[in-house]
Amino acid sequence: MTHSWFKSYLSNRSPYTEINQETHGNNLISCHRSSPKGINQGVPQGSVLGPLLFLFVNDLPLQIKGANLIMFADDINVLVTDSDVNNLHQKLQQATSGLEAWFHRNNLIANNEKTGMMSFRSRQVKSPEKPQVSINGTNITYISYTKFIGIYLMETLNWNTHIEVLATKLSKVVFMLKSTKDILTPKMILNIYFSKFHSLMRLGLLF
């Protein structure tokens, strides 16, 4: 029953492109629409089930050797660790070869603008090991921090960037609460607090 339901959800979908849409109120006056085109792979974007289904159809973890993969929908993080530099280089090469093969087999291209490398280290290490890695002939740029599911991770393993970004967001919420406290009911202010302030404070906490 479950298999049939998922099959029905994923089958017979025909996307199309629509441009130059003109409307009057809620009525569509004119637009230019392409012919529908059937698809036989992937999952619907923008759906509630999309991120979950993507993990089921994504066989990438089975193809990568020498690394751990941390995945959330189409956000993929490859973690390579080793105490020996030579072994680290070898694992990086294995992981890179696996990525290239998987991309080629699935007719995909890595988005270099959204791809970066980090060499995690303590603040005492001034010159960390940063081996050059390329995918399909394009070198991957090293970055000092990245955003991972709403949390900013730094190469020095501290929270400076995350705290700065969070403080800016929270200060805007505080200003909004102060500006509206005389025109909103206590219940409305409480709703704003939990949806805009408390949710940011709790993000990433496990307790």
Side-chain angles (χ1 to χ4, degrees):
M1 181 67 179
T2 303
H3 178 268
S4 299
W5 186 85
F6 274 112
K7 182 178 180 181
S8 173
Y9 178 74
L10 295 173
S11 301
N12 301 318
R13 290 185 173 270
S14 301
Y16 59 86
T17 300
E18 188 174 278
I19 61 174
N20 297 333
Q21 187 182 87
E22 294 184 17
T23 60
H24 180 72
N26 295 324
N27 298 319
L28 177 63
I29 299 176
S30 65
C31 69
H32 291 53
R33 180 180 298 175
S34 67
S35 300
K37 183 177 179 61
I39 54 176
N40 53 19
Q41 61 183 11
V43 297
Q45 285 188 298
S47 62
V48 175
L49 291 175
L52 176 64
L53 291 174
F54 187 84
L55 295 180
F56 279 110
V57 302
N58 191 348
D59 63 344
L60 179 59
L62 302 176
Q63 315 302 320
I64 305 301
K65 307 299 182 183
N68 295 320
L69 265 66
I70 304 171
M71 303 171 58
F72 180 77
D74 61 347
D75 187 3
I76 302 171
N77 299 267
V78 183
L79 181 63
V80 180
T81 62
D82 204 287
S83 58
D84 182 82
V85 174
N86 293 327
N87 290 339
L88 181 65
H89 286 207
Q90 184 177 2
K91 288 182 177 180
L92 281 171
Q93 185 58 48
Q94 285 182 322
T96 302
S97 298
L99 286 170
E100 290 178 334
W102 188 82
F103 288 145
H104 178 74
R105 186 168 57 253
N106 290 276
N107 297 316
L108 296 174
I109 300 175
N111 188 336
N112 295 324
E113 294 182 358
K114 294 184 178 181
T115 303
M117 289 189 62
M118 295 181 66
S119 180
F120 291 107
R121 59 183 174 84
S122 67
R123 281 176 288 182
Q124 287 71 35
V125 178
K126 302 303 181 182
S127 300
E129 186 71 23
K130 292 186 176 183
Q132 186 60 62
V133 175
S134 63
I135 295 181
N136 295 327
T138 302
N139 292 335
I140 305 302
T141 304
Y142 276 88
I143 55 179
S144 59
Y145 69 88
T146 186
K147 186 179 181 181
F148 178 65
I149 315 181
I151 296 177
Y152 288 85
L153 302 177
M154 297 187 64
E155 62 177 355
T156 53
L157 299 175
N158 62 50
W159 300 103
N160 293 350
T161 299
H162 183 75
I163 291 173
E164 290 175 5
V165 174
L166 180 60
T168 299
K169 292 180 179 179
L170 294 179
S171 65
K172 293 179 180 179
V173 179
V174 171
F175 176 78
M176 179 177 62
L177 291 173
K178 286 184 176 181
S179 301
T180 58
K181 65 182 180 65
D182 294 329
I183 58 177
L184 298 179
T185 65
K187 183 177 180 179
M188 295 173 67
I189 293 178
L190 196 61
N191 287 336
I192 295 175
Y193 165 79
F194 278 109
S195 63
K196 298 294 186 179
F197 192 97
H198 189 263
S199 60
L200 291 174
M201 290 290 294
R202 294 285 301 175
L203 180 64
L205 298 182
L206 300 179
F207 54 87

